[in-house]
Amino acid sequence: KKILEPASGKGSFAKEIVKRLFQSSILYNFSFKDALIENVRFVELNTAAFLELTISIDKIIKELTKEKNDLSSKICLQADFVTLIFDRTFDCIVGNPPYIRHELISEKNKTFYKANFKTFKYRADLYVVFYEKSLRLLGKNGILSFICSNRWLNNQYGEGLRELIAKEYNLIKLLNIEKTSPF
């Protein structure tokens, strides 16, 4: 399965993905390194977070394989996910997209988002763009799983995203945890 985390931050999800892939490679007898390089991508824009992500990934891989490596350079991309062009689709996209309120998005970026993402309307938050781009990157029967604000479910700016999901995708489960703290 091909997996993507579009805003990896310091690697909370990424580290767990790597560990689970390693466990699966032992259980099902396949090359962990080959599977990692071929199937996993982590994207992070912030330089400090990206550095911490790559160090953490290489450290975990070294602990698991007992070999020095720089595999993070093959699976971690320091880039703006929104403008990044992929040459593949993904079976699973997971993460916690960035929340950047409309008024904090630069006018240049707003113009780009409006021109390239039909869900970026009204006073949309950046995570709406992450949803649309991620949905478009899913392969057939792919699954998107995000932890994010639920405001798009009721606010005017979520109308385009709700419509996109209703018309083109199947919502399997929506878990509303606004009354609890997942962290």
Side-chain angles (χ1 to χ4, degrees):
K1 300 287 182 184
K2 297 193 181 321
I3 188 165
L4 166 69
E5 185 182 7
S8 297
K10 297 175 182 176
S12 296
F13 288 112
K15 291 184 273 190
E16 190 63 30
I17 290 166
V18 170
K19 289 176 190 175
R20 289 183 185 206
L21 181 62
F22 181 76
Q23 292 166 350
S24 291
S25 74
I26 293 169
L27 184 63
Y28 296 106
N29 195 29
F30 61 83
S31 168
F32 166 68
K33 290 179 187 176
D34 290 347
L36 191 66
I37 292 167
E38 179 62 29
N39 299 310
V40 178
R41 293 294 178 270
F42 304 123
V43 180
E44 178 53 46
L45 178 60
N46 179 278
T47 301
F50 181 78
L51 180 60
E52 192 168 329
L53 169 69
T54 57
I55 290 169
S56 296
I57 295 298
D58 284 336
K59 181 180 176 188
I60 287 171
I61 295 170
K62 183 178 180 183
E63 289 170 1
L64 295 170
T65 65
K66 310 299 185 230
E67 298 173 12
K68 187 175 183 203
N69 70 84
D70 69 340
L71 290 175
S72 67
S73 66
K74 296 177 176 28
I75 63 172
C76 298
L77 307 168
Q78 184 176 13
D80 182 348
F81 169 71
V82 174
T83 60
L84 190 59
I85 297 171
F86 290 88
D87 61 355
R88 65 172 75 183
T89 58
F90 295 89
D91 301 299
C92 186
I93 300 175
V94 298
N96 182 358
Y99 312 166
I100 299 179
R101 292 189 330 250
H102 191 81
E103 57 271 10
L104 299 177
I105 299 172
S106 72
E107 289 304 318
K108 178 183 173 188
N109 284 349
K110 286 179 192 176
T111 301
F112 176 81
Y113 300 154
K114 285 176 186 174
N116 293 282
F117 296 93
K118 65 183 180 181
T119 58
F120 191 78
K121 296 179 180 178
Y122 310 108
R123 299 188 46 74
D125 191 295
L126 180 59
Y127 72 83
V128 171
V129 173
F130 270 70
Y131 260 103
E132 182 176 340
K133 173 115 185 207
S134 296
L135 287 166
R136 299 286 184 215
L137 286 172
L138 287 176
K140 185 176 177 161
N141 298 318
I143 295 175
L144 172 63
S145 181
F146 276 168
I147 294 174
C148 79
S149 168
N150 64 358
R151 291 189 180 120
W152 67 275
L153 294 170
N154 299 307
N155 284 357
Q156 183 183 28
Y157 74 70
E159 181 181 293
L161 181 57
R162 292 191 303 271
E163 185 176 310
L164 175 67
I165 292 170
K167 287 183 177 179
E168 298 183 36
Y169 298 92
N170 297 314
L171 181 62
I172 297 170
K173 186 172 193 173
L174 189 141
L175 182 60
N176 189 346
I177 55 174
E178 75 180 286
K179 303 256 189 260
T180 63
S181 174
F183 304 105

